[in-house]
Amino acid sequence: MITASVVTLFSLGFISAGLLAVASKVLYVEEDPRIEVVTEALPGANCGGCGYAGCEAYAAAVINDPSVPPNKCCAGGPDVAKRVAELTGKAAGDSEPMVAFRRCMKVEGKVAKKFEYLGVMSCAAAKLVQGGPDACSYACFGLGDCVRACPFDAMWIENNLVHIAPDKCTSCGTCVRTCPNSILELIPRRSRVMVFCSSQDKGKAVKDVCEVGCISCGACIKKCPAQCISMVDDRIVIDHKACLAYGPSCGEVCVEKCPRNILRCLNPEYIAAGPETEPAHYPEESHVADLNA
Amino acid sequence: METFLLFISAIFVNNIVLAQYLGNCPYLGCSKEKGVAFGMGAAVIFVTIMATLFTYLIQMYVLIPFHLAYLQTIVFILVIAALVQFVEMFLKKMVPPLYKSLGIFLPLITTNCAVLGVAILVQRKEYDLVTSMLYAVAAATGFLLALILMAGIRERFEVTRIPRSMRGVPSGLIMAGLMSLAFMAFKGMIA
């Protein structure tokens, strides 16, 4: 009985294996082998930062469509762009390494609470209640929708304010798309100055709720010798490309002239030491309540 | 008339999911959207027919003549697994659009006990080949019906205020139980 069973199953298994082996040869589908190679060269986080549904979709697109540039993968950065360009035979172009940036300093600005929010611990939900619990409606809720969305564990909440670990951030833009208050922004890593406020309110309204809010006085716009600061939708926008091209010879006059101290140099050591500077400290684990728990 | 009764029996009275409790995993897993439910149901119909045909032939021409009927379950599992692999390759080469729509479901069906259940049930009921095939179609259609009904209900659940602790799987399980109870009303109409 045992022998019969073993022999039967062994031969059946062997026959199926043989048939499948033959079938896999006969029914082999020509797939562009480069798609697999490119997929392997990509980070594989499927963050969607490139605008495609996952790494494999981007790999297929970059190979089949000549108009898709090889530097779309922001998570991989210039190294991956170079590798993809090599594999696809496309010109790499320059991909400026970017990083996510939080345009809010509500702790420093002592933004008061309008009310105590006790609802579902999610920014999107808090936003629905009277525009959120903070007196400033352009402030970071600190409820961590972006932290949960971040595919690379590069964010954490501290003091009701989101923090970003620049060495982990791959600038995929997932958090930027998640934030209901649009206070996150992607900026070049080499950026020299940045506005630490995202309010679109008029000067008085900002002054009433925050000590370090942008009052739209326009001093920085007038003083910038490279004319790379402008006001778009009542928010200060810095053209980082033009700013970096002009170089440090302006002596960051915009930072000096800002009466609210909201335009600041982005870590000056960073500029001096180049891109290898250590990031600010960040804890091992994020302290965000798990919504599904 | 016989065939008609067989269909009614397999789809409603002895529904493979709701009355015989087979294939509960894909029943709960793939019933969140109607489109997905339909894809999964169609794939199950396809595979069940193929699997029943092949296992029937194996039973008839290998297991019974060599007095190996006690190996039925394990042999059927082996045959179905190999068959699904083959079908996947075949579809990829010959019918790419169908592969695109069924592709993700096919590997899941390898371990779907509804398929194995049908293959074994037709042996237990000692149907002939034609009746077996008809039963396979009917049982798999019953699976599709249960899946689509469930998906319709769960789509409504998405926009309904349900206590947080009951959202998702808990409400899904309760619905499965209630649907099963509802189908129990058919019990005894046809054997």
Side-chain angles (χ1 to χ4, degrees):
Chain A
M1 191 165 164
I2 291 174
T3 338
S5 314
V6 170
V7 170
T8 319
L9 280 175
F10 183 80
S11 44
L12 260 176
F14 199 77
I15 292 168
S16 343
L19 285 177
L20 283 180
V22 173
S24 70
K25 282 268 177 262
V26 175
L27 299 173
Y28 181 72
V29 180
E30 279 293 328
E31 259 178 1
D32 200 327
R34 289 180 304 168
I35 293 182
E36 202 180 324
V37 181
V38 172
T39 312
E40 264 165 37
L42 294 169
N46 294 319
C47 64
C50 53
Y52 292 90
C55 294
E56 207 178 334
Y58 173 58
V62 80
I63 282 173
N64 296 327
D65 188 347
S67 68
V68 176
N71 61 355
K72 280 272 195 180
C73 180
C74 41
D79 294 345
V80 168
K82 222 157 103 195
R83 180 105 182 83
V84 173
E86 256 169 47
L87 291 167
T88 53
K90 288 178 182 174
D94 53 335
S95 72
E96 173 82 51
M98 308 284 272
V99 70
F101 179 80
R102 183 200 70 239
R103 286 181 72 160
C104 180
M105 272 295 181
K106 79 167 182 186
V107 177
E108 208 177 297
K110 304 196 178 72
V111 174
K113 289 253 181 245
K114 259 192 294 190
F115 55 87
E116 198 60 42
Y117 176 73
L118 293 171
V120 177
M121 285 298 144
S122 120
C123 307
K127 175 87 178 164
L128 294 175
V129 184
Q130 300 273 308
D134 292 307
C136 170
S137 45
Y138 303 90
C140 176
F141 292 141
L143 295 172
D145 277 12
C146 50
V147 178
R148 279 183 289 272
C150 180
F152 301 100
D153 281 335
M155 310 178 97
W156 77 95
I157 299 284
E158 206 177 288
N159 248 339
N160 274 333
L161 206 57
V162 68
H163 292 255
I164 299 152
D167 63 335
K168 285 189 182 176
C169 177
T170 61
S171 70
C172 66
T174 310
C175 54
V176 177
R177 291 189 291 274
T178 309
C179 180
N181 270 352
S182 314
I183 63 160
L184 292 164
E185 196 175 309
L186 291 180
I187 60 169
R189 272 174 192 265
R190 300 189 295 134
S191 300
R192 292 159 55 213
V193 288
M194 190 58 205
V195 197
F196 281 63
C197 175
S198 57
S199 179
Q200 287 170 300
D201 278 342
K202 294 276 175 295
K204 176 144 190 343
V206 176
K207 257 184 179 162
D208 285 348
V209 295
C210 182
E211 284 177 19
V212 292
C214 172
I215 52 168
S216 315
C217 64
C220 50
I221 303 177
K222 281 178 222 127
K223 294 292 171 191
C224 179
Q227 286 166 356
C228 53
I229 308 180
S230 55
M231 186 80 79
V232 179
D233 290 340
D234 299 321
R235 289 217 301 193
I236 298 283
V237 171
I238 298 173
D239 182 349
H240 290 288
K241 221 175 200 170
C243 176
L244 286 166
Y246 190 86
S249 62
C250 65
E252 281 88 35
V253 65
C254 51
V255 176
E256 221 168 275
K257 289 295 167 196
C258 180
R260 301 283 286 175
N261 188 24
I262 197 64
L263 236 157
R264 299 176 188 186
C265 279
L266 282 171
N267 40 1
E269 328 77 65
Y270 189 89
I271 300 167
E276 297 304 321
T277 317
E278 277 290 301
H281 80 288
Y282 54 89
E284 294 286 299
E285 278 175 41
S286 58
H287 304 291
V288 180
D290 188 357
L291 274 188
N292 300 319
Chain B
M1 194 62 198
E2 281 279 299
T3 319
F4 178 70
L5 281 182
L6 180 81
F7 265 78
I8 295 292
S9 156
I11 294 176
F12 296 106
V13 184
N14 296 313
N15 187 295
I16 192 102
V17 184
L18 298 170
Q20 309 198 55
Y21 317 117
L22 290 170
N24 270 304
C25 176
Y27 175 55
L28 288 170
C30 294
S31 61
K32 289 196 184 80
E33 283 167 48
K34 262 181 263 174
V36 176
F38 189 80
M40 183 69 184
V44 166
I45 293 183
F46 183 71
V47 171
T48 311
I49 296 169
M50 300 288 288
T52 312
L53 175 67
F54 276 87
T55 52
Y56 191 90
L57 295 177
I58 295 241
Q59 174 86 6
M60 276 301 123
Y61 297 105
V62 180
L63 296 186
I64 292 178
F66 294 100
H67 306 289
L68 292 165
Y70 57 88
L71 285 176
Q72 194 186 50
T73 312
I74 195 161
V75 167
F76 281 13
I77 290 173
L78 184 73
V79 170
I80 291 171
L83 182 73
V84 171
Q85 286 293 313
F86 177 78
V87 167
E88 197 180 344
M89 282 188 243
F90 181 82
L91 288 183
K92 201 173 182 180
K93 175 85 175 177
M94 301 298 176
V95 210
L98 190 64
Y99 174 77
K100 273 237 164 86
S101 53
L102 294 189
I104 34 171
F105 302 115
L106 283 171
L108 286 174
I109 298 172
T110 317
T111 47
N112 183 348
C113 57
V115 177
L116 180 68
V118 172
I120 290 179
L121 276 175
V122 296
Q123 300 302 336
R124 209 174 279 171
K125 295 188 177 179
E126 294 178 345
Y127 287 146
D128 59 34
L129 184 58
V130 179
T131 325
S132 296
M133 301 310 293
L134 288 173
Y135 180 79
V137 176
T141 312
F143 182 84
L144 174 72
L145 175 77
L147 212 60
I148 287 183
L149 286 179
M150 187 65 164
I153 294 170
R154 286 180 90 170
E155 275 184 6
R156 293 274 178 108
F157 274 7
E158 287 294 311
V159 291
T160 315
R161 286 173 67 97
I162 299 174
R164 196 159 151 198
S165 55
M166 296 302 286
R167 261 175 235 161
V169 180
S171 59
L173 282 170
I174 290 176
M175 266 326 296
L178 288 177
M179 281 172 69
S180 189
L181 271 177
F183 269 68
M184 283 295 159
F186 295 116
K187 208 81 193 169
M189 281 169 71
I190 316 165

mmCIF file of all heavy atoms in Angstrom, chain A residues 165-191:
data_model
loop_
_atom_site.group_PDB
_atom_site.id
_atom_site.type_symbol
_atom_site.label_atom_id
_atom_site.label_comp_id
_atom_site.label_asym_id
_atom_site.label_seq_id
_atom_site.Cartn_x
_atom_site.Cartn_y
_atom_site.Cartn_z
ATOM 1 N N ALA A 165 12.919 63.238 8.515
ATOM 2 C CA ALA A 165 14.320 62.824 8.553
ATOM 3 C C ALA A 165 14.867 62.927 7.125
ATOM 4 O O ALA A 165 14.518 62.116 6.270
ATOM 5 C CB ALA A 165 14.434 61.395 9.048
ATOM 6 N N PRO A 166 15.716 63.941 6.870
ATOM 7 C CA PRO A 166 16.126 64.175 5.483
ATOM 8 C C PRO A 166 16.891 63.003 4.879
ATOM 9 O O PRO A 166 16.837 62.796 3.668
ATOM 10 C CB PRO A 166 16.998 65.423 5.558
ATOM 11 C CG PRO A 166 17.212 65.722 6.980
ATOM 12 C CD PRO A 166 16.273 64.924 7.811
ATOM 13 N N ASP A 167 17.593 62.224 5.722
ATOM 14 C CA ASP A 167 18.358 61.123 5.119
ATOM 15 C C ASP A 167 17.461 59.967 4.707
ATOM 16 O O ASP A 167 17.830 59.159 3.869
ATOM 17 C CB ASP A 167 19.470 60.651 6.076
ATOM 18 C CG ASP A 167 18.893 60.089 7.358
ATOM 19 O OD1 ASP A 167 17.770 60.482 7.709
ATOM 20 O OD2 ASP A 167 19.563 59.270 7.999
ATOM 21 N N LYS A 168 16.257 59.898 5.303
ATOM 22 C CA LYS A 168 15.345 58.830 4.901
ATOM 23 C C LYS A 168 14.387 59.304 3.821
ATOM 24 O O LYS A 168 13.822 58.507 3.089
ATOM 25 C CB LYS A 168 14.536 58.350 6.108
ATOM 26 C CG LYS A 168 15.325 57.487 7.079
ATOM 27 C CD LYS A 168 14.377 56.915 8.093
ATOM 28 C CE LYS A 168 15.100 56.069 9.131
ATOM 29 N NZ LYS A 168 14.163 55.617 10.158
ATOM 30 N N CYS A 169 14.151 60.600 3.746
ATOM 31 C CA CYS A 169 13.192 61.140 2.789
ATOM 32 C C CYS A 169 13.704 60.923 1.373
ATOM 33 O O CYS A 169 14.859 61.195 1.065
ATOM 34 C CB CYS A 169 12.971 62.623 3.026
ATOM 35 S SG CYS A 169 11.865 63.357 1.810
ATOM 36 N N THR A 170 12.814 60.398 0.522
ATOM 37 C CA THR A 170 13.213 60.150 -0.859
ATOM 38 C C THR A 170 12.486 61.082 -1.813
ATOM 39 O O THR A 170 12.530 60.899 -3.017
ATOM 40 C CB THR A 170 12.893 58.703 -1.246
ATOM 41 O OG1 THR A 170 11.497 58.532 -1.122
ATOM 42 C CG2 THR A 170 13.610 57.725 -0.359
ATOM 43 N N SER A 171 11.767 62.034 -1.270
ATOM 44 C CA SER A 171 11.025 63.026 -2.053
ATOM 45 C C SER A 171 10.036 62.392 -3.017
ATOM 46 O O SER A 171 9.886 62.838 -4.138
ATOM 47 C CB SER A 171 11.984 63.944 -2.819
ATOM 48 O OG SER A 171 12.632 63.241 -3.855
ATOM 49 N N CYS A 172 9.351 61.339 -2.559
ATOM 50 C CA CYS A 172 8.363 60.711 -3.440
ATOM 51 C C CYS A 172 7.096 61.548 -3.516
ATOM 52 O O CYS A 172 6.299 61.389 -4.429
ATOM 53 C CB CYS A 172 8.025 59.301 -2.961
ATOM 54 S SG CYS A 172 7.181 59.227 -1.382
ATOM 55 N N GLY A 173 6.894 62.417 -2.528
ATOM 56 C CA GLY A 173 5.749 63.322 -2.594
ATOM 57 C C GLY A 173 4.456 62.758 -2.059
ATOM 58 O O GLY A 173 3.421 63.396 -2.153
ATOM 59 N N THR A 174 4.506 61.562 -1.462
ATOM 60 C CA THR A 174 3.278 60.968 -0.922
ATOM 61 C C THR A 174 2.692 61.847 0.186
ATOM 62 O O THR A 174 1.490 62.074 0.240
ATOM 63 C CB THR A 174 3.571 59.564 -0.376
ATOM 64 O OG1 THR A 174 4.279 58.839 -1.367
ATOM 65 C CG2 THR A 174 2.289 58.823 -0.050
ATOM 66 N N CYS A 175 3.565 62.363 1.060
ATOM 67 C CA CYS A 175 3.090 63.188 2.169
ATOM 68 C C CYS A 175 2.501 64.497 1.660
ATOM 69 O O CYS A 175 1.504 64.987 2.184
ATOM 70 C CB CYS A 175 4.230 63.454 3.146
ATOM 71 S SG CYS A 175 5.693 64.163 2.372
ATOM 72 N N VAL A 176 3.121 65.046 0.606
ATOM 73 C CA VAL A 176 2.633 66.309 0.051
ATOM 74 C C VAL A 176 1.209 66.136 -0.447
ATOM 75 O O VAL A 176 0.351 66.995 -0.246
ATOM 76 C CB VAL A 176 3.562 66.784 -1.096
ATOM 77 C CG1 VAL A 176 3.022 68.048 -1.734
ATOM 78 C CG2 VAL A 176 4.968 66.998 -0.585
ATOM 79 N N ARG A 177 0.955 64.983 -1.063
ATOM 80 C CA ARG A 177 -0.392 64.729 -1.570
ATOM 81 C C ARG A 177 -1.368 64.429 -0.436
ATOM 82 O O ARG A 177 -2.561 64.613 -0.581
ATOM 83 C CB ARG A 177 -0.375 63.541 -2.544
ATOM 84 C CG ARG A 177 0.347 63.843 -3.848
ATOM 85 C CD ARG A 177 0.153 62.714 -4.850
ATOM 86 N NE ARG A 177 0.845 61.485 -4.475
ATOM 87 C CZ ARG A 177 2.114 61.220 -4.777
ATOM 88 N NH1 ARG A 177 2.816 62.100 -5.455
ATOM 89 N NH2 ARG A 177 2.668 60.089 -4.413
ATOM 90 N N THR A 178 -0.855 63.936 0.704
ATOM 91 C CA THR A 178 -1.731 63.530 1.801
ATOM 92 C C THR A 178 -2.183 64.713 2.649
ATOM 93 O O THR A 178 -3.318 64.760 3.096
ATOM 94 C CB THR A 178 -0.998 62.516 2.696
ATOM 95 O OG1 THR A 178 -0.464 61.499 1.879
ATOM 96 C CG2 THR A 178 -1.936 61.914 3.714
ATOM 97 N N CYS A 179 -1.285 65.657 2.906
ATOM 98 C CA CYS A 179 -1.550 66.728 3.879
ATOM 99 C C CYS A 179 -2.764 67.550 3.471
ATOM 100 O O CYS A 179 -2.801 68.139 2.396
ATOM 101 C CB CYS A 179 -0.340 67.644 3.989
ATOM 102 S SG CYS A 179 -0.612 68.980 5.170
ATOM 103 N N PRO A 180 -3.797 67.592 4.336
ATOM 104 C CA PRO A 180 -5.006 68.328 3.971
ATOM 105 C C PRO A 180 -4.805 69.844 4.031
ATOM 106 O O PRO A 180 -5.595 70.584 3.472
ATOM 107 C CB PRO A 180 -6.030 67.864 5.011
ATOM 108 C CG PRO A 180 -5.234 67.409 6.166
ATOM 109 C CD PRO A 180 -3.929 66.914 5.624
ATOM 110 N N ASN A 181 -3.769 70.297 4.712
ATOM 111 C CA ASN A 181 -3.529 71.731 4.810
ATOM 112 C C ASN A 181 -2.461 72.214 3.837
ATOM 113 O O ASN A 181 -2.098 73.380 3.853
ATOM 114 C CB ASN A 181 -3.104 72.098 6.242
ATOM 115 C CG ASN A 181 -4.312 72.433 7.086
ATOM 116 O OD1 ASN A 181 -5.416 72.521 6.565
ATOM 117 N ND2 ASN A 181 -4.099 72.617 8.370
ATOM 118 N N SER A 182 -1.924 71.332 3.045
ATOM 119 C CA SER A 182 -0.888 71.669 2.056
ATOM 120 C C SER A 182 0.271 72.445 2.669
ATOM 121 O O SER A 182 0.701 73.450 2.130
ATOM 122 C CB SER A 182 -1.462 72.491 0.907
ATOM 123 O OG SER A 182 -2.638 71.935 0.453
ATOM 124 N N ILE A 183 0.750 71.982 3.805
ATOM 125 C CA ILE A 183 1.877 72.684 4.403
ATOM 126 C C ILE A 183 3.186 71.970 4.093
ATOM 127 O O ILE A 183 4.252 72.454 4.452
ATOM 128 C CB ILE A 183 1.727 72.836 5.928
ATOM 129 C CG1 ILE A 183 1.699 71.480 6.598
ATOM 130 C CG2 ILE A 183 0.490 73.612 6.270
ATOM 131 C CD1 ILE A 183 2.029 71.573 8.042
ATOM 132 N N LEU A 184 3.113 70.823 3.430
ATOM 133 C CA LEU A 184 4.338 70.123 3.059
ATOM 134 C C LEU A 184 4.668 70.471 1.621
ATOM 135 O O LEU A 184 3.779 70.670 0.783
ATOM 136 C CB LEU A 184 4.160 68.619 3.215
ATOM 137 C CG LEU A 184 4.007 68.158 4.658
ATOM 138 C CD1 LEU A 184 3.446 66.756 4.710
ATOM 139 C CD2 LEU A 184 5.331 68.218 5.377
ATOM 140 N N GLU A 185 5.955 70.516 1.337
ATOM 141 C CA GLU A 185 6.382 70.919 0.013
ATOM 142 C C GLU A 185 7.690 70.217 -0.290
ATOM 143 O O GLU A 185 8.471 69.931 0.615
ATOM 144 C CB GLU A 185 6.580 72.447 0.021
ATOM 145 C CG GLU A 185 6.649 73.072 -1.342
ATOM 146 C CD GLU A 185 6.730 74.589 -1.240
ATOM 147 O OE1 GLU A 185 5.897 75.190 -0.530
ATOM 148 O OE2 GLU A 185 7.644 75.164 -1.844
ATOM 149 N N LEU A 186 7.928 69.925 -1.563
ATOM 150 C CA LEU A 186 9.218 69.357 -1.944
ATOM 151 C C LEU A 186 10.141 70.489 -2.362
ATOM 152 O O LEU A 186 9.777 71.305 -3.207
ATOM 153 C CB LEU A 186 9.048 68.376 -3.110
ATOM 154 C CG LEU A 186 8.314 67.082 -2.798
ATOM 155 C CD1 LEU A 186 8.226 66.232 -4.058
ATOM 156 C CD2 LEU A 186 9.017 66.304 -1.706
ATOM 157 N N ILE A 187 11.307 70.536 -1.752
ATOM 158 C CA ILE A 187 12.270 71.577 -2.128
ATOM 159 C C ILE A 187 13.599 70.899 -2.444
ATOM 160 O O ILE A 187 13.870 69.801 -1.952
ATOM 161 C CB ILE A 187 12.462 72.620 -1.000
ATOM 162 C CG1 ILE A 187 12.988 71.952 0.263
ATOM 163 C CG2 ILE A 187 11.157 73.349 -0.721
ATOM 164 C CD1 ILE A 187 13.446 72.937 1.305
ATOM 165 N N PRO A 188 14.453 71.515 -3.253
ATOM 166 C CA PRO A 188 15.765 70.915 -3.519
ATOM 167 C C PRO A 188 16.558 70.794 -2.218
ATOM 168 O O PRO A 188 16.481 71.673 -1.349
ATOM 169 C CB PRO A 188 16.433 71.914 -4.471
ATOM 170 C CG PRO A 188 15.323 72.701 -5.054
ATOM 171 C CD PRO A 188 14.255 72.754 -4.013
ATOM 172 N N ARG A 189 17.289 69.698 -2.087
ATOM 173 C CA ARG A 189 18.086 69.508 -0.880
ATOM 174 C C ARG A 189 19.107 70.632 -0.685
ATOM 175 O O ARG A 189 19.499 70.945 0.430
ATOM 176 C CB ARG A 189 18.827 68.174 -0.948
ATOM 177 C CG ARG A 189 17.997 67.037 -0.392
ATOM 178 C CD ARG A 189 18.645 65.714 -0.579
ATOM 179 N NE ARG A 189 17.654 64.679 -0.273
ATOM 180 C CZ ARG A 189 17.557 64.103 0.935
ATOM 181 N NH1 ARG A 189 18.371 64.434 1.901
ATOM 182 N NH2 ARG A 189 16.634 63.197 1.148
ATOM 183 N N ARG A 190 19.539 71.213 -1.788
ATOM 184 C CA ARG A 190 20.577 72.233 -1.683
ATOM 185 C C ARG A 190 20.002 73.613 -1.384
ATOM 186 O O ARG A 190 20.738 74.579 -1.294
ATOM 187 C CB ARG A 190 21.359 72.293 -2.998
ATOM 188 C CG ARG A 190 22.040 70.981 -3.364
ATOM 189 C CD ARG A 190 22.972 71.178 -4.544
ATOM 190 N NE ARG A 190 22.237 71.538 -5.765
ATOM 191 C CZ ARG A 190 22.610 72.519 -6.582
ATOM 192 N NH1 ARG A 190 23.671 73.260 -6.298
ATOM 193 N NH2 ARG A 190 21.919 72.769 -7.664
ATOM 194 N N SER A 191 18.673 73.693 -1.237
ATOM 195 C CA SER A 191 18.038 74.995 -1.026
ATOM 196 C C SER A 191 18.735 75.777 0.063
ATOM 197 O O SER A 191 19.101 75.215 1.095
ATOM 198 C CB SER A 191 16.576 74.812 -0.624
ATOM 199 O OG SER A 191 15.892 74.129 -1.617
#
